[in-house]
Amino acid sequence: MNPKAPATLVAGAFFMTAPGPTIDSTMQDTLIKDVVIVGGGTAGWMTAAALAKVLRIREATERVRIRLVESDEIGIVGVGEATIPMIQRFNAVLGIDEDEFLRETQGTFKLGIEFVDWGRLGDSYMHGFGRIGQDLWTVGFDQYWNRLRAAGRASPLERYSITRAAAKANKFMRADPSLGNSPLAEIAHAFHFDASLYAKYLRKLAEGWGVERIEGKIVDVSQSMAAGREGHVSAVTLDNGQRVEGELFVDCSGFRGLLIEQLLKTGYEDWTHWLPCDRAVAVPCASVQPITPYTRATARTAGWQWRIPLQHRIGNGHVYCSRFISDDEATAMLMAHLPGEALAAPRPLRFTTGMRRLGWNRNVVAVGLSSGFMEPLESTSIHLIQASIARLISFWPDRGFAQADIDEFNRQNRMEFETIRDFLILHYHLTERSDTPFWNHVRTMEVPASLTRRMNLYRSRGRIFREAGELFAEVAWLQVFEGQGLKPEQAHPLAALIDERETADYLASVEGVIAKCVELMPTHEAYIAQHCKALPLR
Ligand SMILES: Cc1cc2nc3c(=O)[nH]c(=O)nc-3n(C[C@H](O)[C@H](O)[C@H](O)COP(=O)(O)OP(=O)(O)OC[C@H]3O[C@@H](n4cnc5c(N)ncnc54)[C@H](O)[C@@H]3O)c2cc1C
């Protein structure tokens, strides 16, 4: 992942930041001018802000109107608090000032995720962002490391990664590109933030850019009978009788999928047989020192617990499988493992892991929880929102709604969901744990053939390949394979082209440079205090 490329929101999706093209008169007739976003959670306001900015709804010659309908009575899920570095692209496209955004959302920095007790009880490892080591010659750094590790001459992987080494030391600074080829020039980071404050922050931006917010509960939906548009949504009606008409509808209504499912019956692909956790209970607690620059995911007897440090509190939650543990036990387990004093009553959530069969059906595009859900083990939901918005812009329809475009949108959407799904399954399946029925189940269950193929490739010669357009890079897979205890039988044959002593010297120099860089970095707390300290919430 390279979050430093502001021209695109995600790889492969063109994103206009310069003045848009002049629209000729024939295009004007087919241009979609009325967009209605249903829902104002993270998905709704991210969509509203991005579309307002990219479509230049205030100043473009041909104006597109964007209206967002939300109901305060229904509220939002609002527990999405951890992100991955791609969100920097989103911020860059929106022109968001990172320090301001962190102050407004009580945010902190994130260098990776620590996994505790996943491969074996008592073990822990980190999935750090960014690269590991420095490329040496013919094959990747990991292959030289594999070869030396087999010879007993390599240090643990974390010592070759600036983000992992810094996270362990509770250090943080943003990358300083002026430092050339120093590891300090390429520190990849993401954020933790308070999701309800994030939605408020985006709402302020989006309304400032011309989005109209409509408060009210949708109680009825009308569909078109016009030739070529049969079944398209034409309007939503609110409980106060107001009718909101549109040409394109973005369904951000959360798990209920008001338009994409309740109305259009698009269907849902259930992945519970691979990712069996189906419930969560969440609770904030008081902060404790230090504020760690990473998320922690601790495996429990029938699921896992998250710990997300913010400036004003810590977000905690227990994701679990109701077949193996009761709600009461799961809540008690969470409350017994809080790092600080609980600040609210525990909040239960239910979900079914999987994806909507089509993310785009007729003139409705599902973004956010309405398009599917995978547990937040690798903090991917907010990224999936961003990716759907980018894809929607890439495939922006005219009034003809070309089916070929919709099909390709759906194909790419599926590919992204499925590759993330496989990566998440890996965390459960690749374990030695046999201490509870839950771990025995996930360790021995059948997994998708696509995942078996990847595991076999790595087991054989340590090879990892990233599918075109896939979110997680080779280095992410490497850290989880390694962290969960899978070792290649042999290294890549070409790793032997360099003398073992020379390779050892090279690895030692990378390790030494990274250790020195970490020494130079400020603590996470000092960095926040200097750049983006939030005011206490009133
Ligand atoms: C346990 C858990 C932990 C999570 N942790 C993370 C994480 O760490 N990182 C991450 O990236 N993601 C995480 N997520 C996912 C993240 O919370 C969601 O992706 C994100 O909040 C987007 O939600 P949403 O906007 O799609 O839906 P919601 O927040 O549910 O918003 C739905 C909106 O639709 C509106 N609405 C619904 N029906 C109507 C109606 N009839 N009329 C009018 N308005 C209506 C509501 O008012 C609301 O505004 C987590 C999710 C869960 C369940």
Side-chain angles (χ1 to χ4, degrees):
M1 275 182 283
N2 172 13
K4 289 185 216 152
T8 59
L9 193 58
V10 289
F14 181 64
F15 217 67
M16 286 186 297
T17 47
T22 334
I23 298 168
D24 69 32
S25 55
T26 42
M27 283 173 78
Q28 280 178 19
D29 292 341
T30 58
L31 187 73
I32 283 185
K33 299 215 178 105
D34 250 311
V35 180
V36 178
I37 299 168
V38 171
T42 307
W45 285 113
M46 281 179 77
T47 307
L51 293 187
K53 186 79 177 177
V54 174
L55 304 182
R56 301 160 61 85
I57 63 173
R58 272 217 193 284
E59 68 274 42
T61 342
E62 274 304 306
R63 297 260 171 93
V64 176
R65 178 160 68 156
I66 300 177
R67 287 176 296 171
L68 182 147
V69 183
E70 70 174 321
S71 156
D72 282 341
E73 188 192 318
I74 294 178
I76 66 172
V77 164
V79 281
E81 304 195 314
T83 57
I84 56 175
M86 286 293 220
I87 194 170
Q88 285 179 52
R89 288 190 180 179
F90 188 77
N91 289 348
V93 168
L94 264 56
I96 284 177
D97 176 276
E98 205 170 277
D99 286 342
E100 177 194 273
F101 147 73
L102 288 165
R103 274 192 294 271
E104 295 273 332
T105 61
Q106 296 281 339
T108 63
F109 295 96
K110 173 175 172 185
L111 293 168
I113 307 171
E114 183 186 36
F115 292 95
V116 180
D117 290 341
W118 283 81
R120 288 162 294 275
L121 274 171
D123 252 22
S124 75
Y125 70 95
M126 178 98 60
H127 166 192
F129 299 139
R131 74 149 93 182
I132 295 197
Q134 285 282 335
D135 285 341
L136 180 53
W137 198 26
T138 317
V139 294
F141 181 88
D142 53 314
Q143 290 290 1
Y144 294 109
W145 178 79
N146 270 331
R147 176 174 171 232
L148 280 198
R149 196 239 325 244
R153 299 185 67 176
S155 294
L157 203 50
E158 69 195 32
R159 300 219 197 132
Y160 306 99
S161 151
I162 183 80
T163 53
R164 284 176 70 162
K168 274 216 126 179
N170 283 315
K171 298 282 193 86
F172 180 79
M173 64 177 260
R174 288 186 180 97
D176 180 350
S178 71
L179 294 173
N181 65 355
S182 160
L184 294 173
E186 50 180 41
I187 300 167
H189 72 268
F191 314 101
H192 304 117
F193 51 69
D194 182 323
S196 42
L197 296 177
Y198 185 54
K200 277 190 196 141
Y201 177 67
L202 290 178
R203 174 179 163 186
K204 199 166 67 183
L205 294 180
E207 288 187 319
W209 294 332
V211 172
E212 290 168 47
R213 174 186 184 272
I214 301 173
E215 163 64 34
K217 190 169 166 188
I218 296 168
V219 289
D220 195 25
V221 186
S222 314
Q223 285 176 282
S224 169
M225 311 277 277
R229 288 199 206 152
E230 295 91 348
H232 280 216
V233 175
S234 51
V236 293
T237 306
L238 311 185
D239 48 1
N240 62 6
Q242 184 182 354
R243 199 175 138 82
V244 184
E245 294 184 350
E247 294 167 293
L248 174 68
F249 286 79
V250 188
D251 186 346
C252 299
S253 64
F255 286 127
R256 54 180 63 72
L258 199 68
L259 305 181
I260 197 80
E261 193 57 48
Q262 289 187 11
L263 179 79
L264 296 179
K265 309 275 182 273
T266 303
Y268 194 77
E269 202 166 297
D270 184 338
W271 290 337
T272 315
H273 49 294
W274 287 317
L275 290 167
C277 289
D278 56 355
R279 291 188 193 181
V281 54
V283 68
C285 78
S287 281
V288 290
Q289 306 298 317
I291 300 179
T292 53
Y294 55 91
T295 308
R296 180 176 294 145
T298 305
R300 298 278 177 230
T301 54
W304 60 280
Q305 180 172 336
W306 79 75
R307 180 187 194 276
I308 298 178
L310 307 178
Q311 291 193 39
H312 62 322
R313 60 167 172 81
I314 298 175
N316 308 276
H318 184 185
V319 173
Y320 59 96
C321 175
S322 61
R323 265 166 59 208
F324 294 96
I325 188 171
S326 72
D327 295 340
D328 288 348
E329 281 175 293
T331 305
M333 198 175 281
L334 172 67
M335 300 308 274
H337 289 97
L338 291 184
E341 187 198 340
L343 298 176
R347 177 172 165 220
L349 294 131
R350 290 182 180 207
F351 52 82
T352 306
T353 300
M355 68 176 287
R356 201 67 60 199
R357 285 192 194 285
L358 301 173
W360 186 335
N361 190 355
R362 298 192 174 100
N363 65 337
V364 174
V365 180
V367 175
L369 297 173
S370 63
S371 68
F373 181 68
M374 287 180 276
E375 57 189 88
L377 193 51
E378 287 280 354
S379 316
T380 42
S381 287
I382 291 173
H383 170 75
L384 283 168
I385 294 173
Q386 171 180 340
S388 295
I389 298 168
R391 208 170 284 127
L392 171 59
I393 291 163
S394 270
F395 290 96
W396 193 257
D398 51 36
R399 287 185 177 149
F401 282 94
Q403 193 56 42
D405 292 347
I406 296 175
D407 291 345
E408 182 57 19
F409 175 101
N410 284 327
R411 191 192 67 79
Q412 291 185 13
N413 189 47
R414 169 167 291 276
M415 205 280 291
E416 181 145 46
F417 263 84
E418 286 180 350
T419 49
I420 293 174
R421 175 201 69 195
D422 284 4
F423 190 53
L424 298 189
I425 298 171
L426 181 70
H427 295 64
Y428 286 104
H429 184 59
L430 190 56
T431 183
E432 289 173 17
R433 285 189 63 163
S434 57
D435 52 302
T436 69
F438 172 81
W439 287 103
N440 276 331
H441 168 70
V442 292
R443 182 172 47 76
T444 55
M445 70 187 173
E446 250 190 64
V447 298
S450 45
L451 177 57
T452 307
R453 183 175 49 83
R454 288 199 199 238
M455 289 172 65
N456 287 343
L457 262 178
Y458 185 76
R459 187 179 288 114
S460 165
R461 297 291 182 277
R463 293 182 227 258
I464 308 171
F465 292 97
R466 184 183 195 174
E467 303 286 345
E470 178 181 352
L471 172 61
F472 287 105
E474 291 87 340
V475 71
W477 285 87
L478 168 72
Q479 293 179 79
V480 179
F481 281 140
E482 159 60 18
Q484 304 267 150
L486 185 63
K487 293 193 172 32
E489 285 153 9
Q490 290 179 43
H492 195 297
L494 295 180
L497 285 181
I498 301 181
D499 173 60
E500 190 175 299
R501 196 172 46 84
E502 201 186 322
T503 312
D505 288 349
Y506 185 73
L507 261 70
S509 79
V510 171
E511 185 181 343
V513 169
I514 284 181
K516 280 208 184 78
C517 289
V518 172
E519 260 176 51
L520 293 173
M521 291 168 73
T523 64
H524 184 215
E525 279 167 338
Y527 194 87
I528 289 175
Q530 191 186 349
H531 295 273
C532 50
K533 185 84 188 139
L535 293 172
L537 283 180
R538 270 168 282 137

